[in-house]
Amino acid sequence: MNKEGGLSHKLHGLDHLRAFAIIFVFFFHYGRLFPHPEWTNTISKFGWTGVDLFFVLSGYLIASQLFRKIVQQQKISLKEFFIKRFFRIIPAYLVVVALYFLLPFTHEREALAPLWKYLTFTQNISLNIQTQGTFSHAWSLCIEEQFYFFLPLILLMLVYFKSIKKGFWILIALFLFGFFIRYYTYRHFFTPVADESWLNWYKWIYYPTWTRLDGLLVGVSVAALLEFKPVFSGKILNYGNLLFVIGLIIFTITYFVCTNEESLIASVLGFPLIAIGYGFIVLSALSPKCFLYKYESNTTTKIAALSYGIYLIHKIVIHVTQNQFSKLNIHNDSNSMFLICIATVFIISLLLNEIIEKPFLKLRKKILSRKKIEVNKASGIVIS
C-alpha cells in the first residue's frame, strides 16, 4: 500500500494526468500573460481546464484516504490529517508568498492582493485581477485549502451521527447547488454590468469557491464509488479504455460548449461537464485495463512530483526569465525564449522541491512516526 493511501501502482496513471494538468496550465498562462510563439495559441486556449483536473485529482486523493479509514472502521484523526496537509502545502507556498512580497521585480502583473488574504486562503473571494493580477493563480490553492479544512469535519459529523450514507445526498445537493448559484450569480451580478464584463465574469463566476466545487465533488464521488462500492466499481474498472474514451468525448463536447467562456451556457454547464469528463478519465487511470494505468514513465512521474512547485513559481520564473534573456536579443515571443522558460521553470521547481518540499516531507514523516509510537504506547502496544 502507498503511504498516502491506495495501491502504489495505481499512481502511474494519476501521474500521467497530473503531468498533463500542469503542462496544460503552463501553456494557458504562458499564452495569456506573456509574449509567446503563435503556434501555442491553439493549445493554450483550453488550458485553464488543467486546474479542474487538479481539482478532480485532489478530491479523489484526499477523500479516498478518509473514506478508507471509515471503511476500515478506523478513527479519522484531524491532527494527523492537518499535519499531512500542512507540511505538504504550506512551506513551499509561504516561500513563494515571501518572494512576491519581498521582491517586487518578481511581479508578473500590477499588484498583489493583501497579504492576509494569502495567509488565510481567501484571496479567491472578490478577486479583481485588473488590480490584483500578480499571483492570481493562488485562487485554486485557496479553494483546495478550504476543501481540505471542511471535508474531514463533515465526515466526522456524519460518522458521529451514523449518517455516512447520507453523504451521498450531500454530494448531489452541492453539485446541483453549483448550477443554481452560477445561474443566479450570472443573472444578478454579471449580466447587469456592461463595462469590464470579462473582469466581472472572473470575479463572480470563475474564482469564487461556491461556483467552482464541481471538480472536487466529482473527485470525492470517484473516491466514494471505489471505497464504498468495491464490487460495483470493480465491474466498472474492467472497462478502463472505454471510460477514457467517454471522458474524452465529454471533454470534446465541453470544448464547443465553452467556445465563449463568458456565455450563460458555458458559465452554468461548462464547469460540471469538464469535471465529469475528467472524472471519467481519472477513473480510467485507476483501471488495470487502461493504457494509462499500465504505462509507466519516468518523465511524467518527475513532472508530477514537481507539479505543485511548477504551479507555484511558473509565472515568477517566466516573467523574470523573459526580462533577463530579452537583454541578450532573444525575442520574448520566439521559440527559443519559450524553451528557455520551460528549462528555467523546471530548474527552479526542482530546487524548490529539493530545498523546501522534500525536507519538510521528511520532517512530516518523523512527526507522524513519533505520534504513532505515542499512540501505541498509550494502547499498551510494544514495538521492538
Side-chain angles (χ1 to χ4, degrees), residues 14-33:
L14 299 187
D15 280 347
H16 302 325
L17 297 183
R18 195 178 290 109
F20 170 79
I22 193 59
I23 291 170
F24 222 18
V25 169
F26 178 89
F27 266 92
F28 174 69
H29 286 152
Y30 199 98
R32 281 292 183 95
L33 300 176

Side-chain angles (χ1 to χ4, degrees), residues 253-270:
I253 292 171
T254 310
Y255 178 85
F256 292 102
V257 170
C258 295
T259 299
N260 178 7
E261 297 164 6
E262 297 169 19
S263 67
L264 176 62
I265 188 171
S267 299
V268 176
L269 299 180

Side-chain angles (χ1 to χ4, degrees), residues 1-11 64 68 72 227:
M1 296 287 284
N2 179 275
K3 289 180 180 171
E4 290 290 325
L7 296 172
S8 60
H9 54 258
K10 284 183 178 180
L11 297 182
S64 62
R68 191 168 296 114
Q72 296 172 354
E227 297 298 332

Side-chain angles (χ1 to χ4, degrees), residues 63-72 155 220 223-224 227-228:
S64 62
Q65 297 173 37
L66 297 170
F67 290 162
R68 191 168 296 114
K69 286 187 177 292
I70 293 173
V71 170
Q72 296 172 354
L155 289 177
V220 172
E227 297 298 332
F228 295 118

Side-chain angles (χ1 to χ4, degrees), residues 145-190:
E145 286 302 303
Q146 294 161 23
F147 166 73
Y148 296 152
F149 179 78
F150 284 106
L151 179 63
L153 296 179
I154 292 171
L155 289 177
L156 279 175
M157 181 184 68
L158 291 174
V159 170
Y160 179 80
F161 289 105
K162 298 180 180 179
S163 303
I164 197 66
K165 291 183 179 179
K166 293 182 180 179
F168 172 77
W169 297 107
I170 293 176
L171 280 175
I172 292 177
L174 287 173
F175 196 75
L176 293 176
F177 172 77
F179 289 88
F180 167 78
I181 196 64
R182 281 190 297 273
Y183 180 83
Y184 179 85
T185 302
Y186 193 95
R187 289 299 191 192
H188 290 80
F189 294 98
F190 173 66

Side-chain angles (χ1 to χ4, degrees), residues 204-240:
W204 294 108
I205 304 293
Y206 190 78
Y207 290 136
T209 307
W210 45 88
T211 59
R212 299 294 265 119
L213 289 173
D214 308 83
L216 290 164
L217 293 174
V218 167
V220 172
S221 300
V222 171
L225 176 67
L226 296 179
E227 297 298 332
F228 295 118
K229 300 290 182 181
V231 176
F232 179 66
S233 61
K235 293 178 181 178
I236 292 176
L237 292 178
N238 282 325
Y239 302 95

